[in-house]
Amino acid sequence: MHRLIEKGLMFGNLIRVDSPVLVERYNRALKHLIGRKTAQNVFHIDISGFSPELGEEFGDDLYLNHAGVNRQFILLTTEQATAPLLNAKFSTARSILKQFINENRSELFALTARDAVAGELVNSVYLADSPARLFDIRKVRIEADTTSGTVAMADKLGKMIDRFKSEQDAWFDDVLIADMIGMAKKTGDVVRNPVRLKQMEFDQDNYWTDLFGGMYLFRGVEHPAAIVATDKDDFDDLPIRFTFDLRDRSAIAKFLSINDLVEPIIDARGVDAAAILHQKMDFIVMEVAAAMGENLAGATRRDLRRLGRQYAQKLPEAWQGLAALLRWAEEDGPWPKITSEHPAYFYTLRAKPHADADLVNMLLAELTPLDIRQLFICHKEVFYRAYATWPDEKRAYVVDFLDREYQVDKAGTRQALYGHEAPMEEPRPQAQPDLITRVGPWGALGRRS
């Protein structure tokens, strides 16, 4: 993984902790949360305060995420909002933490000026010992305070102040006044500078989890389903009507279509569809060339075209399907018949504009593993696992490409690939035929009794 780290493609954008004051605050928070301290003087943290250096020191990459279910966090600075989330077990965790920081930015700025803020993403499940237990996760709320309990004390002081103002004899209550003065020395002026953090709770209807080999759970759509990365026969006790695995291409395609979650790239507005298809085809050529032992270091698009001609007989059906679609788009060729069972099918799609677009693009990335750019952007956990299995020729090309083509303009690349224009009107739910209501959109396939 050293190439990825050197280019900032792994462990990139982490927050450096090298001040003795910040290290001491981090250790107080760590002791508060898990009863441990670090001997490190310099380390890096992600948005949750997790440090890969401490994970190595403790021999536990889940030291802030016990059993992978209830993520704990340590905030030393509001700048952590820009950092990635490492070892993510739930796709929603980073967005929840980022929203919490942004919604409480001024309060957290004041609190972290004097202490670390420690907290937890809390749900009702403490141990997901079976896939079915994941369905008990309905909401996640955030609990947070400084290690010295500033927020709790400020809340208590606020109630004392209310009592002092409302009770007739409070002016003569020496104990109440002494308590208020003593607490105010620790919290500051909570009347002029309140230190309350917003109570935030998040619904968990649609998400991906890395647990049990990987699972996409869609409960907040018209036709719910679970999609697992391993064999669906190992998930026959899930409390949901339909369960698919990644081999159920037609069922997944129907699920995405009937819930109006995807659109063809070729029909998407505001994107250069032909350029996107060309790039996907180049990635497939690169896969074939790497398998043939070609040196791909610094390979340009012209080099890949040459290699494509050289290994034309070995190019897979996915490449042929994308080439046919490109001929239709650029050369007025015949419309290609690319069904959901065709290897190129999911390469031709992207998420429509909706709240779960990132989750759908994550699923599409796992269904199209040869598109290394989409896999890196949308599903880093799967990307890193796949990278470890690739031949060195492919690793060298992928790192060089991502460094040249993606790192220089991340926002622009994401906008070009996945950005959406504002919809012309609000989407309206469509009534479904009675047969679908009774039987379900996928018939008997994947149905769980």
Side-chain angles (χ1 to χ4, degrees):
M1 299 290 186
H2 67 278
R3 286 194 186 100
L4 292 172
I5 297 172
E6 287 174 358
K7 298 296 185 180
L9 297 167
M10 188 176 188
F11 302 145
N13 213 29
L14 296 179
I15 304 298
R16 180 181 173 90
V17 180
D18 54 9
S19 150
V21 172
L22 292 181
V23 172
E24 192 274 332
R25 289 178 187 173
Y26 187 93
N27 266 326
R28 284 208 311 267
L30 202 59
K31 184 72 174 177
H32 176 74
L33 290 176
I34 65 171
R36 300 189 69 169
K37 289 188 176 183
T38 177
Q40 307 275 350
N41 295 319
V42 179
F43 51 91
H44 299 78
I45 57 175
D46 69 3
I47 188 173
S48 73
F50 166 79
S51 168
E53 293 99 333
L54 270 63
E56 184 175 350
E57 177 187 358
F58 297 155
D60 180 11
D61 284 337
L62 296 179
Y63 71 88
L64 283 181
N65 194 15
H66 179 67
V69 179
N70 289 77
R71 187 98 191 194
Q72 296 174 302
F73 60 88
I74 298 173
L75 299 180
L76 297 179
T77 170
T78 53
E79 293 179 6
Q80 286 173 237
T82 64
L85 178 66
L86 304 181
N87 300 321
K89 295 300 180 183
F90 288 87
S91 59
T92 53
R94 184 179 184 273
S95 61
I96 289 174
L97 284 168
K98 184 175 181 179
Q99 188 172 339
F100 171 72
I101 295 172
N102 289 335
E103 290 288 329
N104 294 279
R105 184 168 290 273
S106 59
E107 293 84 358
L108 290 171
F109 183 83
L111 291 171
T112 55
R114 295 188 296 176
D115 199 356
V117 172
E120 185 174 354
L121 308 186
V122 182
N123 64 71
S124 60
V125 175
Y126 296 136
L127 178 64
D129 52 359
S130 70
R133 290 294 302 278
L134 294 172
F135 287 75
D136 294 333
I137 300 175
R138 295 285 178 174
K139 294 182 181 295
V140 170
R141 72 179 189 278
I142 292 185
E143 293 181 355
D145 202 343
T146 64
T147 56
S148 56
T150 304
V151 175
M153 284 192 294
D155 183 61
K156 188 175 180 181
L157 177 57
K159 292 177 181 177
M160 288 181 176
I161 293 173
D162 291 340
R163 176 184 163 194
F164 181 79
K165 290 179 178 180
S166 60
E167 291 185 4
Q168 186 175 0
D169 297 329
W171 280 96
F172 306 104
D173 191 336
D174 294 337
V175 174
L176 174 61
I177 294 173
D179 288 343
M180 288 170 57
I181 293 172
M183 200 167 292
K185 291 179 180 178
K186 299 177 181 178
T187 65
D189 188 345
V190 298
V191 176
R192 294 184 180 179
N193 303 295
V195 289
R196 292 176 180 170
L197 297 173
K198 293 180 181 178
Q199 299 295 316
M200 303 182 72
E201 191 173 78
F202 302 84
D203 292 331
Q204 297 294 283
D205 288 329
N206 305 328
Y207 61 84
W208 167 85
T209 176
D210 193 41
L211 301 175
F212 307 106
M215 177 192 297
Y216 299 84
L217 182 57
F218 291 90
R219 291 182 295 192
V221 295
E222 190 169 359
H223 300 286
I227 302 172
V228 298
T230 53
D231 192 338
K232 68 182 178 185
D233 291 336
D234 297 331
F235 297 82
D236 57 2
D237 61 341
L238 297 184
I240 197 167
R241 194 176 184 188
F242 296 97
T243 302
F244 312 126
D245 60 39
L246 298 182
R247 297 170 298 182
D248 294 325
R249 296 177 61 85
S250 292
I252 294 174
K254 185 67 174 178
F255 163 79
L256 293 172
S257 175
I258 205 167
N259 286 300
D260 200 27
L261 297 175
V262 294
E263 63 184 358
I265 294 172
I266 208 75
D267 294 337
R269 296 189 302 172
V271 301
D272 187 346
I276 294 174
L277 293 176
H278 272 298
Q279 189 66 77
K280 290 174 183 284
M281 292 165 63
D282 286 348
F283 292 146
I284 296 174
V285 171
M286 177 271 299
E287 175 77 15
V288 173
M292 300 304 295
E294 293 283 349
N295 182 2
L296 296 171
T300 64
R301 175 159 289 178
R302 179 179 297 176
D303 296 327
L304 290 174
R305 282 200 299 268
R306 174 182 59 79
L307 291 169
R309 290 191 292 269
Q310 181 178 339
Y311 296 109
Q313 298 298 321
K314 296 183 179 295
L315 294 176
E317 195 175 354
W319 188 95
Q320 305 295 347
L322 292 176
L325 186 59
L326 197 58
R327 284 193 293 272
W328 173 84
E330 291 187 327
E331 303 170 10
D332 199 26
W335 173 253
K337 186 177 181 180
I338 301 178
T339 67
S340 57
E341 289 296 325
H342 195 290
Y345 178 76
F346 290 110
Y347 287 91
T348 69
L349 301 178
R350 74 171 193 173
K352 275 191 170 182
H354 51 74
D356 296 304
D358 289 346
L359 179 63
V360 172
N361 281 327
M362 180 182 284
L363 171 61
L364 290 174
E366 195 160 4
L367 289 164
T368 57
L370 297 182
D371 187 346
I372 51 95
R373 178 173 57 182
Q374 174 152 327
L375 192 63
F376 178 79
I377 293 174
C378 300
H379 210 330
K380 285 187 174 56
E381 297 297 322
V382 172
F383 174 88
Y384 292 138
R385 284 198 287 265
Y387 180 91
T389 68
W390 291 341
D392 196 61
E393 294 81 6
K394 182 175 179 179
R395 292 181 189 176
Y397 171 81
V398 169
V399 170
D400 181 65
F401 172 84
L402 292 174
D403 184 48
R404 285 186 292 109
E405 303 286 338
Y406 175 64
Q407 289 280 76
V408 294
D409 186 12
K410 296 179 183 179
T413 301
R414 289 173 181 266
Q415 180 65 26
L417 293 173
Y418 311 113
H420 299 93
E421 294 182 1
M424 297 296 291
E425 60 181 1
E426 290 296 319
R428 299 176 182 176
Q430 297 179 347
Q432 300 298 329
D434 290 341
L435 180 62
I436 291 178
T437 303
R438 295 197 309 270
V439 180
W442 308 281
L445 181 60
R447 186 167 178 173
R448 299 301 183 203
S449 58

